[in-house]
Amino acid sequence: CKNEMVVNKYILVVLLFLPVLGFSKIWYVATGMKGDGTSWSAAHGNLAKVLSLSKSGDQIWVQHGTYLPRIENDRAASFIIPSGVALYGGFEGTEDQVDQRDLSIYQTILSGNIGDEAIQTDNSYSVVLTINAESSTILDGFIIANGYADGIGLPGSPQRAGAGWYNQGIDGGASNPTIVNCIFQNNFALEGGGLYNNATDGRCNPYIRNSAFINNRADLDGGAIFNNGLRGECSPLILDSYFAENEATYGAGILNQGAQGVVKPLISNCSFSNNSSTASCRIGCTAV
């Protein structure tokens, strides 16, 4: 954990930025509905489609239930969150204010289980995808589960990394989404089972608060989170979060790799329980 002054500086940046944001539209999404998304009674039933239609400044309110990134069995399918779009889950479907939600009762699940529900090897490689996302990009109140990134590719490629969430700052850009009140659960990847922050030649500094990483697994590196700062910067702020039952060969909880770059995550008031790795961290890495 870093000192309180540094943590407070990061919090201040986020809090100063978020309140001044306006939004141009609220979309309403609920399972089984066939509306245009303009109200709960006319809710849209396809979250992936609404994401493709949304623009920076929009909010998307999602009723409790389980949502898949695509009906067809396309393992490359993910919930692609446009920069500046805010998603809120945990609604009963009658609320007119975000703070009326009860997340403990109304669970909203983003699942990669797009194929045969009895097996995992036909699931989406990554459930959620963000590329060069500003900090106004918000995911609040979701369970992100059942991604399975076991594909063939170079280290850090989406088909083998970030089964729960693949976050990428590319071509000198930055991807710094805000992740609040989320649970990453039962995701498997070769690298970064729950979340893979890829700052290769770019930056990835997401803000993560009041979230949990439970029972995620990486065959190689970073059971819950892999922070890759190769030739870039990857320094997420992680507050008030819980890591339990995650597994990896290296870095069951969090693995940091900053070859030719900078990786300095700030971790405060987080707990780690029963995470297991089978080997000590390699040269050039740090792990929790």
Side-chain angles (χ1 to χ4, degrees):
C1 294
K2 295 293 184 179
N3 64 65
E4 184 177 353
M5 181 181 297
V6 176
V7 171
N8 286 342
K9 177 182 129 180
Y10 274 74
I11 295 173
L12 182 61
V13 169
V14 174
L15 294 180
L16 284 176
F17 184 70
L18 290 178
V20 300
L21 296 174
F23 59 86
S24 56
K25 184 174 184 176
I26 296 178
W27 297 84
Y28 298 85
V29 177
T31 57
M33 297 293 285
K34 297 182 179 180
D36 59 5
T38 55
S39 66
W40 284 125
S41 60
H44 204 295
N46 189 329
L47 176 57
K49 179 65 174 178
V50 170
L51 284 166
S52 72
L53 297 172
S54 61
K55 299 178 181 179
S56 180
D58 287 357
Q59 293 187 9
I60 303 175
W61 294 12
V62 188
Q63 188 187 55
H64 64 95
T66 299
Y67 297 82
L68 305 177
R70 189 167 296 179
I71 296 174
E72 302 86 3
N73 190 7
D74 178 3
R75 299 195 65 199
S78 301
F79 290 106
I80 303 172
I81 306 178
S83 181
V85 172
L87 279 80
Y88 297 94
F91 289 94
E92 179 188 11
T94 58
E95 298 88 344
D96 55 19
Q97 298 290 333
V98 170
D99 60 9
Q100 293 173 344
R101 298 174 299 163
D102 190 331
L103 301 179
S104 64
I105 296 177
Y106 301 111
Q107 295 186 341
T108 307
I109 302 169
L110 306 182
S111 173
N113 201 349
I114 59 175
D116 187 333
E117 291 187 2
I119 61 176
Q120 293 183 305
T121 53
D122 61 354
N123 291 10
S124 287
Y125 293 128
S126 297
V127 179
V128 176
L129 173 64
T130 44
I131 299 175
N132 290 349
E134 298 179 353
S135 58
S136 55
T137 311
I138 300 171
L139 200 73
D140 180 337
F142 291 89
I143 297 172
I144 302 163
N146 303 318
Y148 204 86
D150 65 341
I152 298 172
L154 296 173
S157 56
Q159 62 267 32
R160 57 174 282 163
W165 188 326
Y166 191 91
N167 178 45
Q168 185 168 16
I170 61 173
D171 299 330
S175 198
N176 309 321
T178 299
I179 304 168
V180 183
N181 302 319
C182 287
I183 299 172
F184 293 75
Q185 186 171 327
N186 299 332
N187 299 289
F188 169 83
L190 299 182
E191 302 155 327
L195 171 64
Y196 190 91
N197 290 309
N198 186 8
T200 301
D201 298 311
R203 288 173 289 154
C204 281
N205 301 317
Y207 172 83
I208 304 169
R209 180 172 58 81
N210 196 35
S211 294
F213 294 79
I214 301 171
N215 195 35
N216 301 287
R217 188 162 56 95
D219 191 52
L220 297 174
D221 304 315
I225 299 176
F226 188 121
N227 294 316
N228 181 11
L230 178 63
R231 300 188 305 273
E233 179 191 356
C234 189
S235 301
L237 175 61
I238 307 172
L239 303 176
D240 307 321
S241 295
Y242 178 62
F243 296 76
E245 309 293 339
N246 300 291
E247 299 180 10
T249 300
Y250 304 97
I254 303 172
L255 187 134
N256 306 302
Q257 179 174 284
Q260 303 175 17
V262 176
V263 179
K264 294 182 178 180
L266 301 177
I267 305 169
S268 178
N269 198 32
C270 295
S271 60
F272 295 79
S273 175
N274 296 323
N275 302 288
S276 62
S277 57
T278 57
S280 59
C281 194
R282 302 187 308 276
I283 295 175
C285 297
T286 62
V288 180

